[in-house]
Amino acid sequence: MNSRFETSQRPSLRLGWSGNKGRAALLILAILLTAFLAKIVLPMVDEAKPSLVDDHDIVFALDGRSTVELRSIGAWLAQTPEYRELLDSGKTTRFRPGYYVLKAIEIYAWGDNMRLWYLFRYLADIGTTMLIAALFLRTFGLPSAVAFILLYMGHQSWSDLIPRLGPTEFQGNCAAALIVWSAWKYATDDQSGKYLLWLLAMASFLFSILKEVNSLYLLETSVLAISCGLLLQAPRLVRLGLLSGLIACAVFAFLLMTVRETSSALTLKGAISDFRMHLRGDLVFRSIGLITTVLMVILLTIDFRKGKAERRHYALLLLVLALEPTRLATYFLAHPIAGVDGFDAFSMRYAFPFVLMQALAIALVVGVLSERLAIHSIPKIGANASIGAMLSSAIVLALLVSNQGIFHPMVKQSVDLWRQFNSDADQAIKDVGHKLVERRLAGHNPALFVSGPTPGIWEPALALALYLKLRLSGTPVYADITGVSDIEHDYAVYLLARYGAWPISGEEAQKLKANCIEVHVDIRRITNSKCDIIQIIKPL
């Protein structure tokens, strides 16, 4: 049995595109993808500035400078809340040790040039997408490559990733692309060297330590690889699955030893509730997955009755059958973050890496079915038409019509919202400076407060305190932590002090609020402040 992904070639069909033809097609696809993305993101790149969400760690590490020295990066890493917590107690609330290491490298490389931060991400998103698309193009031809690009980049979840610098899903997607590339090359080329196994091992390890849930996704993928390898009698595929599965298990075991506790909201009941509530939330992509599964069942039934069922078709059916259970697992893992607040995880970045898995599985079906002619079932179809090409055409048409282009409409809306949010935050800091000057010229000396929906520990409010401290040097910034629970009090004081705010409470806070300016960042406006209020509205 051939262990490769390639289908056996028939004289009437030419599947893989290689040589100059393949390079030209890949270049055209890359240019089109870049052009469509540039149209959405270039306005944000033009006005690039640090955001109150995600970017305060960058600003904190730079400490008002344009760049940092290499030796200061180590000190910054040791002082990040997660590493500090781990070093002090051996336990941590979050588990993403690879995230801050990669961020430190970027801080050293890009410094305070926010345009480079954004441009690097956009180019990396396009590069990793085309890296995998090239595999499909060279192995199966254009239909599967185009199907993969649209299934991957056309998903709504990019709306929560493209406008932001912070989410670990960006680094996770890059590591996942390396996993796919090295595994594909190793599994399909009997002459490939062991360097691909080393690359797979390093990429798998990096992917696993970027976020708590990643090792579980990697473990599931490993089980699928082993199962497909056994079905196909492909020892290389089994070897890949065992290697990545071993790494996933080791990282997950270490996670269980170091993470303090799991969320009480992590329940199967919550996952099923989210799954049912949002049945229509990802309708086009879910429908494509279900239609592909039904198509594979029909074709396998026909082949089985003819006694010609192929092992690779069983493997493909296994991959597409795994999609909906993985969707449920995604809801389970994302429920404490998104589901408890009524959000659909598949409209947010939490849909990764399921989005990549879905695109790979369906594009593989398109590729393998590209050799299967449909001339006997569809009238007036030319001899070169195949079920794979027809399925790809249907997918492309459905997504282009649904999205009104390559990217989901929410991507542009989200970019515009975050661009406005960043601009509003910058203007608010300028307004604070103007108000302070006006009040001091009038003989007053108002206290400056920062606040958010919860006292003391909300990330955008902490970032706001840091930005005010750096922009208004010498002006003390206060935060009212009245009402903070005893459990969170010490942590809130530590975080506020870290980012430059003075934590006060009770009677002391009330005295200062008799003459004050308050900068409030929240998803909604407040009307009960006793201060001269400046409000910044954060996108949901």
Side-chain angles (χ1 to χ4, degrees), residues 40 153-163 281 346-348 402-404 406-418 539-540:
I40 296 173
M153 295 299 293
H155 198 271
Q156 182 180 352
S157 51
W158 284 98
S159 65
D160 195 31
L161 187 58
I162 284 179
F346 280 79
S347 67
M348 307 172 76
S402 173
N403 289 348
Q404 301 173 5
I406 292 178
F407 295 95
H408 194 279
M410 280 301 299
V411 173
K412 185 179 187 310
Q413 293 178 34
S414 182
V415 167
D416 290 341
L417 285 171
W418 281 96
L540 288 173

Side-chain angles (χ1 to χ4, degrees), residues 199-449:
L199 179 59
L200 175 78
M202 290 186 290
S204 297
F205 180 70
L206 176 60
F207 178 77
S208 297
I209 62 173
L210 282 169
K211 195 171 184 179
E212 297 88 346
V213 299
N214 284 9
S215 55
L216 295 176
Y217 282 112
L218 183 63
L219 184 59
E220 182 203 6
T221 306
S222 302
V223 171
L224 287 173
I226 293 170
S227 302
C228 290
L230 293 174
L231 273 172
L232 297 169
Q233 297 180 355
R236 281 184 165 240
L237 200 52
V238 174
R239 200 175 303 150
L240 291 170
L242 289 172
L243 176 60
S244 58
L246 181 63
I247 292 170
C249 288
V251 172
F252 187 65
F254 183 71
L255 179 153
L256 293 177
M257 289 188 292
T258 55
V259 171
R260 292 188 183 278
E261 59 183 15
T262 57
S263 171
S264 59
L266 199 66
T267 63
L268 183 59
K269 181 180 179 181
I272 294 173
S273 174
D274 291 349
F275 186 87
R276 295 174 60 187
M277 183 187 306
H278 301 295
L279 275 174
R280 297 173 63 87
D282 197 29
L283 188 59
V284 175
F285 283 82
R286 175 172 278 171
S287 299
I288 290 171
L290 292 175
I291 290 170
T292 304
T293 304
V294 171
L295 177 63
M296 286 305 304
V297 170
I298 292 172
L299 293 177
L300 265 173
T301 302
I302 293 172
D303 290 345
F304 184 78
R305 289 180 176 179
K306 293 180 178 179
K308 297 192 299 184
E310 297 183 39
R311 290 176 180 268
R312 59 184 175 171
H313 290 168
Y314 287 110
L316 288 174
L317 180 61
L318 176 63
L319 292 179
V320 292
L321 284 174
L323 291 178
E324 284 303 302
T326 306
R327 182 185 295 273
L328 179 61
T330 300
Y331 277 121
F332 174 77
L333 295 170
H335 182 74
I337 310 168
V340 290
D341 294 320
F343 295 119
D344 183 3
F346 280 79
S347 67
M348 307 172 76
R349 64 189 182 277
Y350 309 115
F352 296 102
F354 172 86
V355 173
L356 176 59
M357 176 183 171
Q358 178 178 248
L360 287 169
I362 296 175
L364 278 171
V365 172
V366 169
V368 172
L369 295 183
S370 290
E371 72 160 4
R372 185 158 179 154
L373 297 179
I375 54 174
H376 301 301
S377 56
I378 308 289
K380 299 181 181 179
I381 295 292
N384 287 331
S386 68
I387 293 177
M390 293 167 61
L391 177 60
S392 176
S393 299
I395 290 170
V396 169
L397 181 62
L399 291 178
L400 289 179
V401 171
S402 173
N403 289 348
Q404 301 173 5
I406 292 178
F407 295 95
H408 194 279
M410 280 301 299
V411 173
K412 185 179 187 310
Q413 293 178 34
S414 182
V415 167
D416 290 341
L417 285 171
W418 281 96
R419 178 184 164 204
Q420 186 63 50
F421 172 62
N422 295 343
S423 178
D424 289 348
D426 190 61
Q427 185 60 48
I429 294 173
K430 293 177 182 177
D431 291 344
V432 170
H434 293 150
K435 282 182 179 288
L436 285 172
V437 171
E438 290 173 3
R439 298 280 286 273
R440 285 168 180 168
L441 288 174
H444 303 288
N445 189 24
L448 177 59
F449 280 82

Side-chain angles (χ1 to χ4, degrees), residues 3-5 182-190 192 236-237 240:
S3 67
R4 302 183 179 188
F5 288 133
S182 56
W184 189 303
K185 287 288 188 180
Y186 184 79
T188 59
D189 184 1
D190 294 335
S192 57
R236 281 184 165 240
L237 200 52
L240 291 170

Side-chain angles (χ1 to χ4, degrees), residues 10 79 104 119 151 161 177 181 190 216 234 271 286 326 344 354 362 453 459 477 497 499 520 527 529:
R10 297 182 182 179
Q79 291 302 312
L119 285 172
L151 284 165
L161 187 58
W181 185 85
D190 294 335
L216 295 176
R286 175 172 278 171
T326 306
D344 183 3
F354 172 86
I362 296 175
E459 179 185 295
V477 181
Y499 292 110
H520 183 83
T527 56
S529 175

